[in-house]
């Protein structure tokens, strides 16, 4: 280590040596003169020794004075060499009294320049790295998939916002250190939790789809667990990703429902038409009454087929945004008569009380009559369909200064609170066995809602299971 108290500088050493050899020379010279003159002239000897001695002292002093910059340089270099934390930027230039000092200063300037560049480069690269890190962090946080990075024991080390949101744990800090399997398991039913556990026990990378409860709408997750390996090829952390695929699954279920409904709705009337027409063609001895019944059945089934095809066309037009309405002035009583006359036979068939109440003075409205008739007929036919025999169906029409209200009320099977928000979704039909027993496509209400919307109106629903329902179609007057 550099020890200042024991350190003798270059100048001290040089002037010391200068002094020592000078003194030895003078003493030797003095002794020689003394020996040769045999002690005869002591005063001239004193002069002969004194003058060079003074010169020697002066020379030594001059060396010390002029080479101080060399001491400075030596000290700096020593300090630099002995202290690992010392930076080149701490080296100082020297006063220019010698070409060597000028060279040193020049060298130092170059080194400083270089270091400064290195510093700038370092800071630049740090800035770039921190920018990149920020970008990754932003991307990580804003991914729609939930991601959690866990240690080898499955404890969460890091996770993004979507992960917390999907687990309904908005307090983001609370998840660190928690067991990922516990967290996922507490959000799903027992059977699904078991599947997650067996996935975690498997050493391979896994993807799993779990339905949180028996009800699809409560959520379906696509979970994946990735086991990245470290530089030694050993598995270290685990990465869990979580995606909400509920909408995808609902769309798949709707598609399956559609295939089922379409097959049923096309096959059944076709089979009936085929059977009855074959009977008419092959069986010779049929009474006129029997024949009439057969023709009626064929006609009804053909109508059912046509209705379903119409509904499908309506929906596909709706999807394409191609349904347009042509508004004309419409006389409401005529429109209502048309609906009631077409629907009454169905109510009569079911021995239902079919009431009709219209406010005495109804305004004329601007509407697409055929489409409005179709939308309202659908509400009335549903009321009749989903009301048991001898039940009651009431159609009321009222208006005020700004709107007309068509209310279709029934004393039927009603709608459960869980089904209520799903009504109007394409192909949605209640799972209630009483609904499943009745023929339907699940498209009518969606179409009626679209027609109401195109008229600037809405359909609102009030219903209580087993008590009945009230569908209100509201259309603004202007
Ligand atoms: P569909 O009647 O052909 O099934 P809709 O789109 O007209 O199709 O109706 C969708 C669903 O809404 C029905 O399947 C039924 O579950 C429910 N629904 C509609 N109207 C009523 C009603 N008046 N009473 C009870 N449920 C109804």
């Amino acid at each position: 280590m550099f020890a200042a108290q024991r350190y003798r500088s270059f100048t001290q050493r040089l002037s010391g040596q200068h002094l020592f050899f000078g003194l030895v020379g003078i003493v030797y010279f003095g002794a020689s003169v003394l020996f040769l003159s045999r002690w005869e002239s002591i005063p001239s000897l004193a002069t002969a020794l004194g003058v060079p001695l003074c010169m020697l002292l002066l020379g030594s002093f001059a060396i010390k004075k002029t080479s101080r910059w060399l001491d400075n340089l030596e000290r700096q270099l020593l300090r630099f060499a002995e202290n690992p934390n010392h930076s080149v930027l701490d080296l100082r230039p020297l006063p220019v009294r010698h070409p060597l000092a000028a060279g040193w200063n020049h060298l130092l300037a170059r080194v400083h320049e270089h270091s400064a560049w290195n510093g700038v480069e370092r800071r630049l690269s740090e800035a770039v790295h921190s920018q990149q890190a920020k970008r990754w962090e932003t991307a990580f946080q804003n991914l729609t998939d939930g991601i959690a990075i866990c240690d080898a024991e499955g404890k969460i080390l890091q996770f993004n916002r979507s992960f917390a949101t999907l687990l309904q744990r908005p307090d983001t800090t609370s998840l660190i250190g928690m067991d990922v399997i516990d967290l996922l398991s507490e959000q799903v039913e027992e059977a699904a939790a078991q599947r997650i556990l067996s996935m975690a026990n498997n050493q391979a990378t896994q993807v799993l789809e779990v339905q949180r409860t028996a009800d699809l709408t409560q959520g379906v997750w696509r979970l994946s667990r990735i086991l990245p390996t470290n530089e030694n090829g050993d598995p270290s952390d685990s990465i869990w990703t979580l995606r909400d695929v509920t909408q995808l699954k609902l769309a798949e279920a709707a598609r399956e429902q559609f295939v089922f409904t379409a097959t049923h709705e096309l096959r059944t009337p076709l089979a009936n038409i085929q059977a009855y027409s074959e009977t008419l063609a092959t069986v010779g001895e049929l009474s006129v009454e029997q024949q009439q019944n057969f023709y009626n059945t064929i006609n009804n089934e053909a109508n059912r087929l046509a209705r379903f095809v119409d509904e499908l066309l309506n929906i596909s037009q709706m999807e394409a945004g191609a349904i347009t309405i042509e508004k004309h002035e419409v006389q409401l009583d005529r429109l209502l008569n048309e609906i009631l006359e077409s629907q009454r036979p169905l109510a009569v068939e079911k021995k239902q009380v079919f009431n009709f109440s219209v406010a005495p003075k109804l305004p004329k409205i601007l509407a697409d009559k055929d489409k409005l008739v179709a939308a309202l007929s659908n509400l009335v036919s549903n009321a009749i369909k989903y009301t048991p025999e001898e039940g009651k169906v009431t159609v009321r029409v009222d208006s005020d200064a700004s709107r007309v209200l068509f209310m279709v009320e029934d004393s039927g099977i009603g709608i459960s609170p869980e089904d209520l928000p799903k009504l109007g979704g394409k192909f949605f039909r209640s799972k209630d066995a009483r609904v499943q027993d009745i023929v339907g496509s699940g498209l009518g209400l969606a179409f009626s809602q679209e027609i109401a919307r195109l008229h600037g109106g809405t359909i609102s629903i009030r219903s209580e299971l087993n008590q009945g329902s009230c569908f209100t179609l509201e259309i603004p007057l202007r």
Side-chain angles (χ1 to χ4, degrees), residues 378 382-383 385-386 410 413-415 423 428-430 435 439-446 469 471:
N378 187 47
N382 274 352
K385 263 196 321 191
Y386 300 114
D410 67 57
I413 59 173
I415 301 156
L423 246 61
F428 173 77
R429 303 201 73 219
S430 167
V435 172
V439 170
S441 61
L443 296 174
L445 207 53
S469 315
F471 287 70

Side-chain angles (χ1 to χ4, degrees), residues 272-292:
N272 286 340
I273 291 169
Q274 244 172 353
Y276 282 97
S277 53
E278 261 174 33
T279 314
L280 279 170
T282 52
V283 179
E285 291 152 23
L286 285 175
S287 66
V288 178
E289 200 182 336
Q290 275 175 322
Q291 285 183 23
Q292 193 57 49

Side-chain angles (χ1 to χ4, degrees), residues 151-306:
D151 64 13
E153 270 83 52
K155 300 274 182 283
I156 295 180
L157 302 169
Q158 217 180 331
F159 61 96
N160 68 355
R161 265 198 293 273
S162 299
F163 190 79
T165 311
L166 286 169
L167 291 178
Q168 293 157 11
R169 302 285 284 257
D171 178 11
T172 46
T173 48
S174 64
L175 301 188
I176 300 280
M178 292 182 83
D179 190 293
V180 70
I181 300 177
D182 289 350
L183 264 176
L184 293 168
S185 301
E186 71 190 27
Q187 297 282 328
V188 298
E189 281 181 353
E190 183 56 30
Q194 283 303 324
R195 292 180 64 213
I196 295 174
L197 190 64
S198 54
M199 170 195 186
N201 290 335
N202 196 313
Q203 281 314 301
T205 293
Q206 298 263 315
V207 180
L208 180 72
E209 247 168 39
V210 280
Q211 195 169 318
R212 293 179 59 202
T213 68
D215 181 2
L216 198 66
T217 57
Q218 291 303 303
V220 186
W221 287 343
R222 186 171 293 154
L223 257 178
S224 80
R225 203 260 330 251
I226 304 157
L227 296 171
T229 48
N230 61 19
E231 57 277 10
N232 304 324
D234 304 322
S236 51
D237 297 345
S238 57
I239 301 169
W240 290 75
T241 70
L242 186 60
R243 178 179 294 183
D244 186 352
V245 289
T246 314
Q247 291 310 318
L248 207 72
K249 290 286 146 187
L250 285 173
E252 259 172 37
R255 204 169 49 237
E256 278 164 22
Q257 175 72 44
F258 169 70
V259 172
F260 174 79
T261 309
T263 317
H264 183 261
E265 283 297 287
L266 294 172
R267 260 231 187 110
T268 315
L270 264 181
N272 286 340
I273 291 169
Q274 244 172 353
Y276 282 97
S277 53
E278 261 174 33
T279 314
L280 279 170
T282 52
V283 179
E285 291 152 23
L286 285 175
S287 66
V288 178
E289 200 182 336
Q290 275 175 322
Q291 285 183 23
Q292 193 57 49
N293 276 341
F294 282 18
Y295 284 127
N296 284 343
T297 309
I298 290 171
N299 193 31
N300 287 342
E301 292 300 289
N303 283 339
R304 179 176 158 187
L305 209 56

Side-chain angles (χ1 to χ4, degrees), residues 417-428:
E418 301 84 64
D419 282 349
L420 214 50
K422 301 174 197 162
L423 246 61
K426 276 174 283 187
F427 305 113
F428 173 77

